[in-house]
């Protein structure tokens, strides 16, 4: 809270703009402490349904382009270069960015697969699995590679949690990783020319090529190299001179608009952003909260009655927390309008 008034960020306007994205979502933590498991299960179901419905609009945008009012909004919005993929504009569905769309349906897909794994009857299990597969396909259309890795991590964690012994868990992981490694080794990743060859009439293939290239060859991505370069600069130049942060809004759009003296490179990591704005101790506290919530959810899943609805919810929660950690290191998950409340609500409920 005190970082709102940090003079290094350029004024109170900048500080309040940072609070809008970082402090307001934290309110959901306290809401999560008051809810019951029945409400949590309902909320998780709603996330899956909304993810599918909103993604259908994203498919419409890919097929027919943006409606005139959305195109006007995109043309008149500053700092919106991330929407471009090659020669096309990626779809946003009903969200403010492709990152938000990707993170939301990534969470929805994990929830759907969790419900599928927790159902004994064939029909409900098949229905939830179909919902998860649908959201996975939609995720390919977002062009979000970090969300794809988050989904992969979530599926591995879910398989590990379903094993009765560590030996069985390792066997499950190896069984899944073996074909995955074959795909990575044998399948040729699309090149830049492949992605650039698709125009406005072929948006879906352009986005899928973008997603496949980053997923199959992540270390060869120019964005990854640029990210490492920026993180190195923050760690060696900025943070040592500003160990307690530059202000809550120092990395927000408000700082770029109202503080011309601050020229920071893009930060697409919530953890790094917290280090820069609030200092390393605050960032470490945030990660401790996530790790602590992960341990508590895993323990609660083990204590729940096997096959029960409670065990199913705890398994989903225990799966989502490691994914949130990954997405916080490689993305701005806890500043996204529709995803941050889900994360804090879940943490509050676990606590």
């Amino acid at each position: 809270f005190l970082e709102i008034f940090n003079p290094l960020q350029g004024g109170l306007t900048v500080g309040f703009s940072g609070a809008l994205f970082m402090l307001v979502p934290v309110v959901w933590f306290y809401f999560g402490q008051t809810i019951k498991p029945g409400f949590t299960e309902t909320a998780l179901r709603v996330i899956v349904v909304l993810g599918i419905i909103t993604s259908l609009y994203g498919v419409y945008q890919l097929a027919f382009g943006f409606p005139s009012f959305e195109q006007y909004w995109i043309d008149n919005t500053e700092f919106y270069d991330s929407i471009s993929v090659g020669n096309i504009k990626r779809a946003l569905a009903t969200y403010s960015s492709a990152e938000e769309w990707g993170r939301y349906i990534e969470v929805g897909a994990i929830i759907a697969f969790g419900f599928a794994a927790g159902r004994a009857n064939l029909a409900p299990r098949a229905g939830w699995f179909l919902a998860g597969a649908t959201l996975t396909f939609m995720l390919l259309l977002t062009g979000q590679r970090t969300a794809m890795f988050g989904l992969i991590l979530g599926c591995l964690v879910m398989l590990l949690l379903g094993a009765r012994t560590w030996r069985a868990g390792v066997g499950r992981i190896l069984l899944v990783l073996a074909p995955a490694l074959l795909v990575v080794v044998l399948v040729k990743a699309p090149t830049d020319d492949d992605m650039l060859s698709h125009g406005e009439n072929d948006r879906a293939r352009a986005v899928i090529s973008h997603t496949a290239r980053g997923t199959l060859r992540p270390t060869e991505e120019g964005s990854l190299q640029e990210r490492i370069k920026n993180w190195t600069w923050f760690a060696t130049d900025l943070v040592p001179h500003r160990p307690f942060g530059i202000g809550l809004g120092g990395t927000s759009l408000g700082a770029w608009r109202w503080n011309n003296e601050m020229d920071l490179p893009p930060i697409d990591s919530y953890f790094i952003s917290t280090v820069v704005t609030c200092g390393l101790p605050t960032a470490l506290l945030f990660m401790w909260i996530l790790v602590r919530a992960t341990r508590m959810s895993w323990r609660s899943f083990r204590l729940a009655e096997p096959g029960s609805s409670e065990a199913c919810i705890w398994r989903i929660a225990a799966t989502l927390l490691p994914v949130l950690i990954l997405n916080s290191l490689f993305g701005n998950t806890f500043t996204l309008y529709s995803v941050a409340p889900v994360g804090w609500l879940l943490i509050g409920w676990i606590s």
Side-chain angles (χ1 to χ4, degrees):
F1 177 79
L2 294 177
E3 290 290 350
I4 295 177
F5 308 98
N6 192 323
L8 296 175
Q9 63 194 337
L12 279 178
T13 304
V14 179
F16 284 121
S17 69
L20 178 65
F21 290 98
M22 300 185 73
L23 288 186
V24 172
V26 179
V27 175
W28 286 83
F29 170 85
Y30 300 99
F31 179 44
Q33 291 188 311
T34 65
I35 63 177
K36 298 180 180 179
F39 180 89
T40 304
E41 182 174 0
T42 301
L44 294 178
R45 292 172 182 267
V46 170
I47 290 173
V48 176
V49 174
L50 290 180
I52 294 175
I53 294 175
T54 55
S55 293
L56 292 176
Y57 185 60
V59 174
Y60 169 84
Q61 290 173 335
L62 280 175
F64 303 103
F66 295 103
S68 58
F69 69 94
E70 288 184 327
Q71 188 62 54
Y72 178 83
W73 172 63
I74 292 170
D75 293 339
N76 291 275
T77 301
E78 296 179 292
F79 311 114
Y80 216 27
D81 297 335
S82 62
I83 194 176
S84 299
V85 174
N87 298 321
I88 62 106
K89 303 289 186 183
R90 72 176 95 194
L92 306 175
T94 60
Y95 304 88
S96 63
S97 66
E99 180 184 7
E100 185 181 7
W101 180 21
R103 294 296 190 278
Y104 190 86
I105 62 176
E106 167 201 10
V107 171
I110 292 173
I111 293 172
F113 288 136
F115 279 128
R119 294 294 180 267
N121 295 330
L122 180 60
R125 173 172 290 191
W128 283 114
F129 182 82
L130 179 61
T134 301
L135 289 174
T136 300
F137 173 73
M138 298 296 186
L139 187 56
L140 292 173
L141 301 179
T142 66
Q144 289 294 310
R145 285 77 57 88
T146 302
M148 282 300 303
F149 283 113
L151 178 59
I152 293 170
L153 173 63
C155 292
L156 292 177
V157 172
M158 189 171 295
L159 285 173
L160 185 61
L161 288 171
R164 296 184 179 275
T165 64
W166 282 104
R167 181 175 298 178
V170 172
R172 289 187 175 197
I173 299 299
L174 292 177
L175 188 64
V176 174
L177 288 181
L181 290 176
L182 287 176
V183 171
V184 172
V185 172
L186 299 179
V187 176
K188 182 180 178 181
T191 63
D192 286 337
D193 293 337
D194 293 332
M195 187 180 66
L196 294 174
S197 65
H198 303 292
E200 287 293 330
N201 295 326
D202 200 8
R203 297 184 186 91
R205 289 188 179 183
V207 175
I208 291 176
S209 296
H210 178 71
T211 306
R213 186 185 62 174
T215 304
L216 295 174
R217 300 291 185 271
T219 58
E220 298 177 7
E221 283 291 287
S223 59
L224 176 62
Q225 307 303 324
E226 186 68 20
R227 180 179 292 174
I228 294 175
K229 177 183 175 181
N230 292 339
W231 290 0
T232 302
W233 182 82
F234 284 120
T236 57
D237 288 59
L238 181 64
V239 176
H241 296 91
R242 298 286 187 267
F244 297 105
I246 62 175
L248 196 59
T251 60
S252 67
L253 291 177
W256 292 348
R257 180 182 295 273
W258 289 300
N259 187 0
N260 296 326
E261 297 179 0
M262 187 175 297
D263 186 20
L264 299 178
I267 304 178
D268 50 359
S269 166
Y270 185 80
F271 176 75
I272 300 297
S273 178
T274 305
V275 173
V276 173
T277 57
C278 302
L280 184 59
T282 303
L284 293 178
L285 174 63
F286 169 71
M287 294 305 295
W288 178 84
I289 291 173
L290 291 182
V291 173
R292 175 72 172 171
T294 302
R295 293 180 58 188
M296 292 175 65
S297 60
W298 287 4
R299 188 181 302 115
S300 298
F301 169 68
R302 294 301 182 190
L303 294 176
E305 182 181 353
S308 65
S309 177
E310 181 184 6
C312 179
I313 300 303
W314 279 117
R315 185 178 185 179
I316 294 173
T319 300
L320 286 176
L321 264 298
V323 175
L324 291 176
I325 294 175
L326 175 67
N327 289 164
S328 297
L329 294 173
F330 295 92
N332 293 304
T333 299
F334 279 88
T335 61
L336 301 176
Y337 305 109
S338 61
V339 184
V342 176
W344 284 117
L345 180 75
L346 193 63
I347 296 171
W349 177 70
I350 292 171
S351 69

